[in-house]
Amino acid sequence: MNTSSRFRRRPRSAGIIAVLALSGTLTGCGLTIPADPNGTLDAVTGGELRVGTSPDSTLVEVRDGVPSGSIVELVDDYAQSIDAEPDWTVASEESLVTMLEDGELDLVAGGITAKTPWLERAGVSRGYTGIEGADGREIVMLVPLGENAFLSSLETFLDAEVGS
């Protein structure tokens, strides 16, 4: 008897219909997933990307207040990919996280590892070991909490540039 395969298809079909209905409803409401409650990705795309960094012996070097190094080049390339102009701030990591929370920065990048203590104060990217100068460390970048579209855009770029 072939009735059992007929019954297995109904739940799958019902699930697909439910997903399509939910997707249509969310799209109709103007919602996108992932979302940025504060519109970070929209604000920086074609505008200014405010980036904070701290010196790190192998990733970020600062001379006369101007940062350089592999992380800086990587973030500059990301900014270019979204038609943004990076504006760098150099400070201590704690000061940068406070500025991120206060909306004064869009991104914090440097020698921050996956063991970061800032998990409750910032959105954290996936860890990347393929960044030049990381010396095997799993490097992450910080974004404002909840700005998931911006984080997704950054991670998509980093995945393509340095691997996931």
Side-chain angles (χ1 to χ4, degrees), residues 10-47:
R10 283 189 176 169
R12 178 185 279 171
S13 297
I16 291 170
I17 290 169
V19 168
L20 290 174
L22 178 62
S23 176
T25 300
L26 292 174
T27 302
C29 295
L31 295 175
T32 58
I33 298 174
D36 282 349
N38 294 318
T40 300
L41 183 57
D42 285 342
V44 300
T45 301

PDB file of all heavy atoms in Angstrom, residues 10-47:
ATOM      1  N   ARG A  10       2.252  15.525   3.232  1.00  0.00           N
ATOM      2  CA  ARG A  10       1.381  16.600   3.706  1.00  0.00           C
ATOM      3  C   ARG A  10       2.044  17.502   4.737  1.00  0.00           C
ATOM      4  O   ARG A  10       2.005  18.705   4.599  1.00  0.00           O
ATOM      5  CB  ARG A  10       0.072  16.025   4.235  1.00  0.00           C
ATOM      6  CG  ARG A  10      -0.854  15.625   3.135  1.00  0.00           C
ATOM      7  CD  ARG A  10      -2.182  15.286   3.665  1.00  0.00           C
ATOM      8  NE  ARG A  10      -3.051  15.002   2.531  1.00  0.00           N
ATOM      9  CZ  ARG A  10      -4.218  14.472   2.627  1.00  0.00           C
ATOM     10  NH1 ARG A  10      -4.686  14.146   3.818  1.00  0.00           N
ATOM     11  NH2 ARG A  10      -4.945  14.252   1.582  1.00  0.00           N
ATOM     12  N   PRO A  11       2.696  16.941   5.765  1.00  0.00           N
ATOM     13  CA  PRO A  11       3.336  17.844   6.735  1.00  0.00           C
ATOM     14  C   PRO A  11       4.416  18.710   6.083  1.00  0.00           C
ATOM     15  O   PRO A  11       4.568  19.875   6.409  1.00  0.00           O
ATOM     16  CB  PRO A  11       3.936  16.892   7.773  1.00  0.00           C
ATOM     17  CG  PRO A  11       3.095  15.665   7.683  1.00  0.00           C
ATOM     18  CD  PRO A  11       2.720  15.559   6.225  1.00  0.00           C
ATOM     19  N   ARG A  12       5.175  18.144   5.169  1.00  0.00           N
ATOM     20  CA  ARG A  12       6.211  18.923   4.490  1.00  0.00           C
ATOM     21  C   ARG A  12       5.572  20.047   3.684  1.00  0.00           C
ATOM     22  O   ARG A  12       6.017  21.176   3.733  1.00  0.00           O
ATOM     23  CB  ARG A  12       7.036  18.036   3.585  1.00  0.00           C
ATOM     24  CG  ARG A  12       8.093  18.825   2.836  1.00  0.00           C
ATOM     25  CD  ARG A  12       8.829  18.009   1.858  1.00  0.00           C
ATOM     26  NE  ARG A  12       9.859  17.258   2.572  1.00  0.00           N
ATOM     27  CZ  ARG A  12      10.574  16.317   2.023  1.00  0.00           C
ATOM     28  NH1 ARG A  12      10.376  16.002   0.774  1.00  0.00           N
ATOM     29  NH2 ARG A  12      11.494  15.690   2.706  1.00  0.00           N
ATOM     30  N   SER A  13       4.512  19.728   2.965  1.00  0.00           N
ATOM     31  CA  SER A  13       3.824  20.747   2.172  1.00  0.00           C
ATOM     32  C   SER A  13       3.238  21.830   3.071  1.00  0.00           C
ATOM     33  O   SER A  13       3.318  23.018   2.759  1.00  0.00           O
ATOM     34  CB  SER A  13       2.705  20.117   1.339  1.00  0.00           C
ATOM     35  OG  SER A  13       3.241  19.206   0.423  1.00  0.00           O
ATOM     36  N   ALA A  14       2.672  21.400   4.198  1.00  0.00           N
ATOM     37  CA  ALA A  14       2.100  22.376   5.129  1.00  0.00           C
ATOM     38  C   ALA A  14       3.201  23.283   5.680  1.00  0.00           C
ATOM     39  O   ALA A  14       3.005  24.494   5.826  1.00  0.00           O
ATOM     40  CB  ALA A  14       1.371  21.667   6.255  1.00  0.00           C
ATOM     41  N   GLY A  15       4.365  22.704   5.954  1.00  0.00           N
ATOM     42  CA  GLY A  15       5.487  23.503   6.455  1.00  0.00           C
ATOM     43  C   GLY A  15       5.970  24.509   5.430  1.00  0.00           C
ATOM     44  O   GLY A  15       6.234  25.670   5.751  1.00  0.00           O
ATOM     45  N   ILE A  16       6.065  24.086   4.178  1.00  0.00           N
ATOM     46  CA  ILE A  16       6.496  24.996   3.117  1.00  0.00           C
ATOM     47  C   ILE A  16       5.489  26.122   2.944  1.00  0.00           C
ATOM     48  O   ILE A  16       5.868  27.294   2.829  1.00  0.00           O
ATOM     49  CB  ILE A  16       6.693  24.223   1.792  1.00  0.00           C
ATOM     50  CG1 ILE A  16       7.901  23.297   1.919  1.00  0.00           C
ATOM     51  CG2 ILE A  16       6.853  25.181   0.619  1.00  0.00           C
ATOM     52  CD1 ILE A  16       8.050  22.316   0.775  1.00  0.00           C
ATOM     53  N   ILE A  17       4.229  25.782   2.963  1.00  0.00           N
ATOM     54  CA  ILE A  17       3.188  26.815   2.814  1.00  0.00           C
ATOM     55  C   ILE A  17       3.255  27.795   3.989  1.00  0.00           C
ATOM     56  O   ILE A  17       3.160  29.013   3.796  1.00  0.00           O
ATOM     57  CB  ILE A  17       1.791  26.166   2.707  1.00  0.00           C
ATOM     58  CG1 ILE A  17       1.688  25.437   1.358  1.00  0.00           C
ATOM     59  CG2 ILE A  17       0.685  27.200   2.860  1.00  0.00           C
ATOM     60  CD1 ILE A  17       0.476  24.540   1.226  1.00  0.00           C
ATOM     61  N   ALA A  18       3.476  27.283   5.203  1.00  0.00           N
ATOM     62  CA  ALA A  18       3.561  28.170   6.371  1.00  0.00           C
ATOM     63  C   ALA A  18       4.765  29.105   6.257  1.00  0.00           C
ATOM     64  O   ALA A  18       4.660  30.303   6.557  1.00  0.00           O
ATOM     65  CB  ALA A  18       3.659  27.335   7.650  1.00  0.00           C
ATOM     66  N   VAL A  19       5.905  28.595   5.795  1.00  0.00           N
ATOM     67  CA  VAL A  19       7.104  29.433   5.643  1.00  0.00           C
ATOM     68  C   VAL A  19       6.871  30.496   4.581  1.00  0.00           C
ATOM     69  O   VAL A  19       7.216  31.678   4.770  1.00  0.00           O
ATOM     70  CB  VAL A  19       8.344  28.573   5.290  1.00  0.00           C
ATOM     71  CG1 VAL A  19       9.512  29.439   4.842  1.00  0.00           C
ATOM     72  CG2 VAL A  19       8.738  27.707   6.471  1.00  0.00           C
ATOM     73  N   LEU A  20       6.257  30.108   3.472  1.00  0.00           N
ATOM     74  CA  LEU A  20       5.975  31.086   2.412  1.00  0.00           C
ATOM     75  C   LEU A  20       4.993  32.158   2.891  1.00  0.00           C
ATOM     76  O   LEU A  20       5.161  33.344   2.595  1.00  0.00           O
ATOM     77  CB  LEU A  20       5.439  30.378   1.168  1.00  0.00           C
ATOM     78  CG  LEU A  20       6.449  29.517   0.405  1.00  0.00           C
ATOM     79  CD1 LEU A  20       5.751  28.747  -0.716  1.00  0.00           C
ATOM     80  CD2 LEU A  20       7.583  30.352  -0.129  1.00  0.00           C
ATOM     81  N   ALA A  21       3.977  31.722   3.647  1.00  0.00           N
ATOM     82  CA  ALA A  21       2.999  32.695   4.162  1.00  0.00           C
ATOM     83  C   ALA A  21       3.662  33.665   5.127  1.00  0.00           C
ATOM     84  O   ALA A  21       3.437  34.887   5.071  1.00  0.00           O
ATOM     85  CB  ALA A  21       1.847  31.970   4.839  1.00  0.00           C
ATOM     86  N   LEU A  22       4.520  33.162   6.028  1.00  0.00           N
ATOM     87  CA  LEU A  22       5.231  34.018   6.981  1.00  0.00           C
ATOM     88  C   LEU A  22       6.165  34.964   6.256  1.00  0.00           C
ATOM     89  O   LEU A  22       6.220  36.157   6.554  1.00  0.00           O
ATOM     90  CB  LEU A  22       6.022  33.166   7.982  1.00  0.00           C
ATOM     91  CG  LEU A  22       6.842  33.947   9.013  1.00  0.00           C
ATOM     92  CD1 LEU A  22       5.930  34.805   9.875  1.00  0.00           C
ATOM     93  CD2 LEU A  22       7.639  32.984   9.877  1.00  0.00           C
ATOM     94  N   SER A  23       6.890  34.448   5.264  1.00  0.00           N
ATOM     95  CA  SER A  23       7.805  35.290   4.488  1.00  0.00           C
ATOM     96  C   SER A  23       7.054  36.404   3.774  1.00  0.00           C
ATOM     97  O   SER A  23       7.471  37.561   3.780  1.00  0.00           O
ATOM     98  CB  SER A  23       8.560  34.423   3.478  1.00  0.00           C
ATOM     99  OG  SER A  23       9.365  35.211   2.657  1.00  0.00           O
ATOM    100  N   GLY A  24       5.924  36.048   3.172  1.00  0.00           N
ATOM    101  CA  GLY A  24       5.119  37.057   2.488  1.00  0.00           C
ATOM    102  C   GLY A  24       4.573  38.097   3.447  1.00  0.00           C
ATOM    103  O   GLY A  24       4.552  39.291   3.146  1.00  0.00           O
ATOM    104  N   THR A  25       4.171  37.649   4.630  1.00  0.00           N
ATOM    105  CA  THR A  25       3.648  38.576   5.631  1.00  0.00           C
ATOM    106  C   THR A  25       4.740  39.535   6.093  1.00  0.00           C
ATOM    107  O   THR A  25       4.522  40.747   6.186  1.00  0.00           O
ATOM    108  CB  THR A  25       3.088  37.803   6.836  1.00  0.00           C
ATOM    109  OG1 THR A  25       2.046  36.946   6.369  1.00  0.00           O
ATOM    110  CG2 THR A  25       2.562  38.737   7.909  1.00  0.00           C
ATOM    111  N   LEU A  26       5.950  39.006   6.398  1.00  0.00           N
ATOM    112  CA  LEU A  26       7.047  39.864   6.853  1.00  0.00           C
ATOM    113  C   LEU A  26       7.475  40.837   5.763  1.00  0.00           C
ATOM    114  O   LEU A  26       7.734  42.014   6.038  1.00  0.00           O
ATOM    115  CB  LEU A  26       8.237  39.010   7.298  1.00  0.00           C
ATOM    116  CG  LEU A  26       8.020  38.176   8.555  1.00  0.00           C
ATOM    117  CD1 LEU A  26       9.222  37.269   8.802  1.00  0.00           C
ATOM    118  CD2 LEU A  26       7.741  39.045   9.761  1.00  0.00           C
ATOM    119  N   THR A  27       7.561  40.354   4.533  1.00  0.00           N
ATOM    120  CA  THR A  27       7.932  41.237   3.432  1.00  0.00           C
ATOM    121  C   THR A  27       6.881  42.327   3.244  1.00  0.00           C
ATOM    122  O   THR A  27       7.214  43.495   3.033  1.00  0.00           O
ATOM    123  CB  THR A  27       8.101  40.422   2.136  1.00  0.00           C
ATOM    124  OG1 THR A  27       9.093  39.435   2.353  1.00  0.00           O
ATOM    125  CG2 THR A  27       8.493  41.307   0.972  1.00  0.00           C
ATOM    126  N   GLY A  28       5.628  41.957   3.358  1.00  0.00           N
ATOM    127  CA  GLY A  28       4.541  42.933   3.224  1.00  0.00           C
ATOM    128  C   GLY A  28       4.577  43.989   4.303  1.00  0.00           C
ATOM    129  O   GLY A  28       4.132  45.114   4.108  1.00  0.00           O
ATOM    130  N   CYS A  29       5.106  43.649   5.467  1.00  0.00           N
ATOM    131  CA  CYS A  29       5.215  44.601   6.576  1.00  0.00           C
ATOM    132  C   CYS A  29       6.487  45.429   6.478  1.00  0.00           C
ATOM    133  O   CYS A  29       6.745  46.271   7.325  1.00  0.00           O
ATOM    134  CB  CYS A  29       5.213  43.863   7.915  1.00  0.00           C
ATOM    135  SG  CYS A  29       3.673  43.026   8.278  1.00  0.00           S
ATOM    136  N   GLY A  30       7.319  45.173   5.480  1.00  0.00           N
ATOM    137  CA  GLY A  30       8.561  45.924   5.336  1.00  0.00           C
ATOM    138  C   GLY A  30       9.674  45.405   6.211  1.00  0.00           C
ATOM    139  O   GLY A  30      10.694  46.061   6.376  1.00  0.00           O
ATOM    140  N   LEU A  31       9.509  44.220   6.783  1.00  0.00           N
ATOM    141  CA  LEU A  31      10.540  43.659   7.643  1.00  0.00           C
ATOM    142  C   LEU A  31      11.525  42.842   6.827  1.00  0.00           C
ATOM    143  O   LEU A  31      11.146  42.155   5.899  1.00  0.00           O
ATOM    144  CB  LEU A  31       9.912  42.753   8.702  1.00  0.00           C
ATOM    145  CG  LEU A  31       9.004  43.437   9.694  1.00  0.00           C
ATOM    146  CD1 LEU A  31       8.365  42.405  10.610  1.00  0.00           C
ATOM    147  CD2 LEU A  31       9.755  44.456  10.512  1.00  0.00           C
ATOM    148  N   THR A  32      12.794  42.934   7.180  1.00  0.00           N
ATOM    149  CA  THR A  32      13.807  42.087   6.573  1.00  0.00           C
ATOM    150  C   THR A  32      14.583  41.408   7.686  1.00  0.00           C
ATOM    151  O   THR A  32      14.670  41.927   8.797  1.00  0.00           O
ATOM    152  CB  THR A  32      14.780  42.911   5.709  1.00  0.00           C
ATOM    153  OG1 THR A  32      15.391  43.901   6.518  1.00  0.00           O
ATOM    154  CG2 THR A  32      14.075  43.559   4.537  1.00  0.00           C
ATOM    155  N   ILE A  33      15.124  40.264   7.367  1.00  0.00           N
ATOM    156  CA  ILE A  33      15.893  39.502   8.351  1.00  0.00           C
ATOM    157  C   ILE A  33      17.229  39.186   7.719  1.00  0.00           C
ATOM    158  O   ILE A  33      17.255  38.657   6.616  1.00  0.00           O
ATOM    159  CB  ILE A  33      15.151  38.217   8.743  1.00  0.00           C
ATOM    160  CG1 ILE A  33      13.821  38.581   9.395  1.00  0.00           C
ATOM    161  CG2 ILE A  33      16.006  37.371   9.657  1.00  0.00           C
ATOM    162  CD1 ILE A  33      12.950  37.381   9.685  1.00  0.00           C
ATOM    163  N   PRO A  34      18.354  39.461   8.338  1.00  0.00           N
ATOM    164  CA  PRO A  34      18.515  40.108   9.632  1.00  0.00           C
ATOM    165  C   PRO A  34      18.223  41.611   9.534  1.00  0.00           C
ATOM    166  O   PRO A  34      18.262  42.184   8.454  1.00  0.00           O
ATOM    167  CB  PRO A  34      19.971  39.848   9.976  1.00  0.00           C
ATOM    168  CG  PRO A  34      20.664  39.719   8.664  1.00  0.00           C
ATOM    169  CD  PRO A  34      19.657  39.102   7.733  1.00  0.00           C
ATOM    170  N   ALA A  35      17.943  42.190  10.670  1.00  0.00           N
ATOM    171  CA  ALA A  35      17.578  43.605  10.718  1.00  0.00           C
ATOM    172  C   ALA A  35      18.552  44.397  11.598  1.00  0.00           C
ATOM    173  O   ALA A  35      19.244  43.838  12.431  1.00  0.00           O
ATOM    174  CB  ALA A  35      16.171  43.743  11.283  1.00  0.00           C
ATOM    175  N   ASP A  36      18.581  45.681  11.356  1.00  0.00           N
ATOM    176  CA  ASP A  36      19.328  46.623  12.192  1.00  0.00           C
ATOM    177  C   ASP A  36      18.309  47.563  12.839  1.00  0.00           C
ATOM    178  O   ASP A  36      17.787  48.451  12.171  1.00  0.00           O
ATOM    179  CB  ASP A  36      20.270  47.496  11.349  1.00  0.00           C
ATOM    180  CG  ASP A  36      21.544  46.797  10.931  1.00  0.00           C
ATOM    181  OD1 ASP A  36      21.828  45.714  11.443  1.00  0.00           O
ATOM    182  OD2 ASP A  36      22.255  47.362  10.084  1.00  0.00           O
ATOM    183  N   PRO A  37      18.017  47.420  14.111  1.00  0.00           N
ATOM    184  CA  PRO A  37      17.047  48.321  14.751  1.00  0.00           C
ATOM    185  C   PRO A  37      17.432  49.797  14.649  1.00  0.00           C
ATOM    186  O   PRO A  37      16.574  50.655  14.566  1.00  0.00           O
ATOM    187  CB  PRO A  37      17.021  47.864  16.209  1.00  0.00           C
ATOM    188  CG  PRO A  37      17.607  46.498  16.226  1.00  0.00           C
ATOM    189  CD  PRO A  37      18.495  46.393  15.036  1.00  0.00           C
ATOM    190  N   ASN A  38      18.736  50.068  14.639  1.00  0.00           N
ATOM    191  CA  ASN A  38      19.185  51.460  14.556  1.00  0.00           C
ATOM    192  C   ASN A  38      19.709  51.833  13.173  1.00  0.00           C
ATOM    193  O   ASN A  38      20.267  52.914  12.992  1.00  0.00           O
ATOM    194  CB  ASN A  38      20.244  51.735  15.621  1.00  0.00           C
ATOM    195  CG  ASN A  38      19.661  51.645  17.019  1.00  0.00           C
ATOM    196  OD1 ASN A  38      18.551  52.124  17.269  1.00  0.00           O
ATOM    197  ND2 ASN A  38      20.367  51.000  17.921  1.00  0.00           N
ATOM    198  N   GLY A  39      19.572  50.938  12.208  1.00  0.00           N
ATOM    199  CA  GLY A  39      19.907  51.252  10.817  1.00  0.00           C
ATOM    200  C   GLY A  39      21.379  51.455  10.523  1.00  0.00           C
ATOM    201  O   GLY A  39      21.719  52.226   9.625  1.00  0.00           O
ATOM    202  N   THR A  40      22.250  50.738  11.216  1.00  0.00           N
ATOM    203  CA  THR A  40      23.692  50.940  11.011  1.00  0.00           C
ATOM    204  C   THR A  40      24.125  50.672   9.580  1.00  0.00           C
ATOM    205  O   THR A  40      24.829  51.502   8.987  1.00  0.00           O
ATOM    206  CB  THR A  40      24.507  50.058  11.987  1.00  0.00           C
ATOM    207  OG1 THR A  40      24.158  50.427  13.321  1.00  0.00           O
ATOM    208  CG2 THR A  40      26.004  50.258  11.780  1.00  0.00           C
ATOM    209  N   LEU A  41      23.722  49.544   9.006  1.00  0.00           N
ATOM    210  CA  LEU A  41      24.165  49.226   7.640  1.00  0.00           C
ATOM    211  C   LEU A  41      23.683  50.295   6.659  1.00  0.00           C
ATOM    212  O   LEU A  41      24.457  50.742   5.809  1.00  0.00           O
ATOM    213  CB  LEU A  41      23.675  47.834   7.210  1.00  0.00           C
ATOM    214  CG  LEU A  41      24.144  47.373   5.827  1.00  0.00           C
ATOM    215  CD1 LEU A  41      25.670  47.376   5.728  1.00  0.00           C
ATOM    216  CD2 LEU A  41      23.588  45.985   5.513  1.00  0.00           C
ATOM    217  N   ASP A  42      22.458  50.729   6.786  1.00  0.00           N
ATOM    218  CA  ASP A  42      21.953  51.795   5.896  1.00  0.00           C
ATOM    219  C   ASP A  42      22.728  53.091   6.103  1.00  0.00           C
ATOM    220  O   ASP A  42      23.011  53.809   5.154  1.00  0.00           O
ATOM    221  CB  ASP A  42      20.464  52.044   6.137  1.00  0.00           C
ATOM    222  CG  ASP A  42      19.595  50.946   5.547  1.00  0.00           C
ATOM    223  OD1 ASP A  42      20.085  50.190   4.675  1.00  0.00           O
ATOM    224  OD2 ASP A  42      18.434  50.839   5.965  1.00  0.00           O
ATOM    225  N   ALA A  43      23.049  53.405   7.359  1.00  0.00           N
ATOM    226  CA  ALA A  43      23.733  54.671   7.657  1.00  0.00           C
ATOM    227  C   ALA A  43      25.164  54.688   7.116  1.00  0.00           C
ATOM    228  O   ALA A  43      25.633  55.720   6.625  1.00  0.00           O
ATOM    229  CB  ALA A  43      23.743  54.927   9.165  1.00  0.00           C
ATOM    230  N   VAL A  44      25.865  53.555   7.193  1.00  0.00           N
ATOM    231  CA  VAL A  44      27.268  53.555   6.775  1.00  0.00           C
ATOM    232  C   VAL A  44      27.425  53.325   5.272  1.00  0.00           C
ATOM    233  O   VAL A  44      28.415  53.774   4.683  1.00  0.00           O
ATOM    234  CB  VAL A  44      28.109  52.517   7.561  1.00  0.00           C
ATOM    235  CG1 VAL A  44      28.068  52.818   9.049  1.00  0.00           C
ATOM    236  CG2 VAL A  44      27.664  51.096   7.285  1.00  0.00           C
ATOM    237  N   THR A  45      26.485  52.627   4.662  1.00  0.00           N
ATOM    238  CA  THR A  45      26.583  52.358   3.229  1.00  0.00           C
ATOM    239  C   THR A  45      26.489  53.663   2.454  1.00  0.00           C
ATOM    240  O   THR A  45      25.507  54.403   2.558  1.00  0.00           O
ATOM    241  CB  THR A  45      25.474  51.391   2.775  1.00  0.00           C
ATOM    242  OG1 THR A  45      25.611  50.168   3.508  1.00  0.00           O
ATOM    243  CG2 THR A  45      25.581  51.103   1.287  1.00  0.00           C
ATOM    244  N   GLY A  46      27.555  53.955   1.715  1.00  0.00           N
ATOM    245  CA  GLY A  46      27.601  55.200   0.969  1.00  0.00           C
ATOM    246  C   GLY A  46      27.889  56.410   1.846  1.00  0.00           C
ATOM    247  O   GLY A  46      27.785  57.546   1.397  1.00  0.00           O
ATOM    248  N   GLY A  47      28.279  56.168   3.098  1.00  0.00           N
ATOM    249  CA  GLY A  47      28.551  57.269   4.027  1.00  0.00           C
ATOM    250  C   GLY A  47      29.870  57.050   4.749  1.00  0.00           C
ATOM    251  O   GLY A  47      30.848  56.624   4.157  1.00  0.00           O
TER     252      GLY A  47
END
